Every structure is written in structure tokens, then in C-alpha cells.
Amino acid sequence: MALLFALVIDPATSDDPRSDFADTFRVIDPSAPALSVGELSTQRGDGIFESIGVVDGHAQETQAHLERLAHSARICDLAAPHLEQWRQAVDAAAQHAPRHGEGVIKLILSRGVEHGPAPTAWVTVAAAADNTAVREHGIRVVTLDRGYGIDTPAKAPWLLLGAKTLSYAVNMAAIREAKRRGADDAVFVTSDGFVLEAPTASLILRIDGRFVTPAPNGGILHGTTQLSLFAHLEEEGHDTGYATLPTSALTDADAAWLVSSVRLAAPITAIDGSVMPVDAELTASFNRYLLSPRD
């Protein structure tokens, strides 16, 4: 996706009392070099990010993304982001998103430059890829072992599980492996047999009429789109919940989706080669909701 706009943020401390942070933003040429060679985001993937979907110029679920950015910062021992400053940066960036159609705003907070300024932060805007086909026709997934047990996050917090870090090499490798196996995406499972999440999306299953998603205590990212969709489902009278789900839950489900901020709701048509039923009408209603303005 070609960048349409970029700005650098001079990060404020979390207790800065100002109400206007416009003078802390610097617009840069999105096609020009901007980072120092000592930047730890590129040297070590030492930073965090968020991707905010934009529909017709409206940034979706901004507050939830900012709260998750702060959550990731706490896990990674980064300076707490000033959420009002970042909100104003999102608002400034949204002015340069496509007025019609979909886009994506990315927020990046890095530990900074080795032996230099720290932290560093920037925001970018791009047009989103066309996800119409996967929303309508679905995706095939394979399960891939994430390489740890369900209790590992509690025992090894230094693994930063549950933070949205810039270290996404494993996630991208998993998607490549899924495609080598003839699928479109992957669902991670633990080595001791529990369901986690997809490399870039949350998993939702419908089992016996109830919508469930893996509990975030397994070191998975708490999805903003999943949270919003659950709130919508509850308003519609549906039962939702979180659970520590064994891998057998995948075959117990009568419908399944991967949901994320940009792709939105993609129905799963097959898991490890086994065909899954697709509720096309419900999926369409999910995406109508997710394409509506959401704050």
C-alpha cells in the first residue's frame, strides 16, 4: 500500500497538561527517507504499533486502539503514550485518508535511536487493499503450532506475548507457511492443544448459538474489532464470551470468522482442509456494522 501521508510526533509525557499538540507534529514526505540508521524499530523491532481502519475518512474505534497502544507500551516498558496527543495525531492523519472507500492509519512508537533521541513516534496513512472478495467468499486456514503452552505468557512475561510489537517476522512467516500449505491464513494453537489467534486477526467461533473467542490470558492480542463486534452482537441479543478453547472447538463450531481492523470479518471456509459451513447472511451483517462509523 502506497503511503498517502506521514507525520512525525515529538512524544509528550503522559502528564502533559496541554490541550493542543499541533506543534508537536511534523509532516514529512511519505516517500522520502525519515529514520536514523540507529533507529531501534528497524534494528531490533523494538517498538509497538496499531493499525486503525478508516472508512470514508472516519477513523474507526480510535479510543480502543489508543488504549491498546498504551497496554502494549506497559508490557514493553516503553514510556506511556499521551493518549490525547495521539488522538490529535490520528485526527490530523484522517484528513488525508481517502474521502470515499477504505484506508488505514498506522501508529508507531519506538524505543528510539540507539545512543540518541528516545522515544520516536510517527503516523502514516495509506489506502487499504480491496477486501471485498475475502469478506464475501471467505478464507481457508490451517492451524500452526505457536511453540509455547497456554501457561507460558504468565510464566515468561519477557516474551511480550499480548503486546502488538513491531517484531512481526513470525507472524508473516506463518502466513507464508499457510499459503505453502494451500490456505490463505493461519490460526495459531499452543503446543498443549489450545486455540489462540491468527497472525493478524482475532478468531470468533459460533458454537451452539454462542459466539466465543479465545481468552486473552493466553498471550493473545485483545482485538479491537472483536470487542466492537461482540458489543454489537450483545445489543442484537446474542450470547458472547471468552474461553480457553481446546483445538477440538474448531471442529465443534458451526461457523467461524477471522476479524481485524482492515480486513474486517472474513468467514472461514475450511480449517486444515475440513470444510466449514459459512453463514453468508450473518457475515454480511457483520461487515455492514463494521463499515459503519464507530468511535
Side-chain angles (χ1 to χ4, degrees):
M1 295 182 288
L3 296 182
L4 304 174
F5 176 79
L7 62 81
V8 174
I9 301 172
D10 179 14
T13 59
S14 58
D15 58 354
D16 192 315
R18 284 182 292 173
S19 59
D20 186 353
F21 290 90
D23 63 349
T24 66
F25 307 148
R26 176 169 56 89
V27 177
I28 60 173
D29 181 348
S31 64
L35 296 178
S36 164
V37 293
E39 169 59 44
L40 293 174
S41 63
T42 54
Q43 284 194 2
R44 300 175 183 169
D46 195 356
I48 57 176
F49 78 102
E50 284 290 324
S51 296
I52 301 177
V54 183
V55 179
D56 296 336
H58 182 272
Q60 304 279 66
E61 301 283 351
T62 297
Q63 184 62 28
H65 283 283
L66 294 179
E67 290 173 359
R68 194 168 68 179
L69 186 77
H71 175 71
S72 294
R74 287 192 296 272
I75 294 175
C76 296
D77 295 320
L78 288 165
H82 192 299
L83 297 192
E84 179 56 29
Q85 181 187 37
W86 283 87
R87 176 179 288 282
Q88 291 180 28
V90 170
D91 290 344
Q95 298 303 310
H96 300 270
R99 294 295 91 192
H100 303 285
E102 297 175 52
V104 57
I105 294 174
K106 286 194 175 182
L107 317 178
I108 301 98
L109 176 61
S110 159
R111 201 169 303 276
V113 177
E114 190 167 23
H115 311 304
T120 56
W122 62 100
V123 175
T124 65
V125 180
D130 185 356
N131 286 293
T132 304
V134 294
R135 293 170 189 167
E136 293 181 355
H137 304 300
I139 53 175
R140 299 158 298 168
V141 305
V142 293
T143 55
L144 296 179
D145 191 331
R146 190 65 175 84
Y148 61 77
I150 193 67
D151 61 346
T152 297
K155 295 192 299 184
W158 51 88
L159 295 180
L160 307 182
L161 302 170
K164 195 172 178 71
T165 73
L166 293 170
S167 305
Y168 250 46
V170 169
N171 303 60
M172 298 300 99
I175 292 174
R176 292 194 299 272
E177 177 63 21
K179 291 181 177 179
R180 279 192 287 268
R181 298 187 186 193
D184 306 297
D185 210 329
V187 169
F188 286 131
V189 298
T190 66
S191 297
D192 50 353
F194 294 93
V195 182
L196 295 171
E197 61 189 342
T200 63
S202 302
L203 173 70
I204 295 176
L205 304 175
R206 186 178 64 189
I207 302 174
D208 296 329
R210 184 172 188 250
F211 295 90
V212 295
T213 193
N217 58 7
I220 63 177
L221 196 68
H222 209 164
T224 57
T225 306
Q226 171 263 311
L227 283 165
S228 181
L229 190 55
F230 268 26
H232 170 68
L233 285 167
E234 289 160 10
E235 289 178 358
E236 295 290 311
H238 296 285
D239 187 18
T240 68
Y242 298 84
T244 301
L245 297 169
T247 54
S248 60
L250 295 171
T251 53
D252 292 339
D254 58 51
W257 298 263
L258 293 186
V259 300
S260 58
S261 297
V262 178
R263 189 167 58 185
L264 305 184
I268 296 176
T269 61
I271 301 176
D272 291 332
S274 297
V275 174
M276 289 287 295
V278 172
D279 190 328
E281 183 177 347
L282 185 61
T283 300
S285 74
F286 285 177
N287 284 314
R288 283 194 298 272
Y289 165 71
L290 294 173
L291 285 166
S292 67
R294 293 176 290 120
D295 294 319

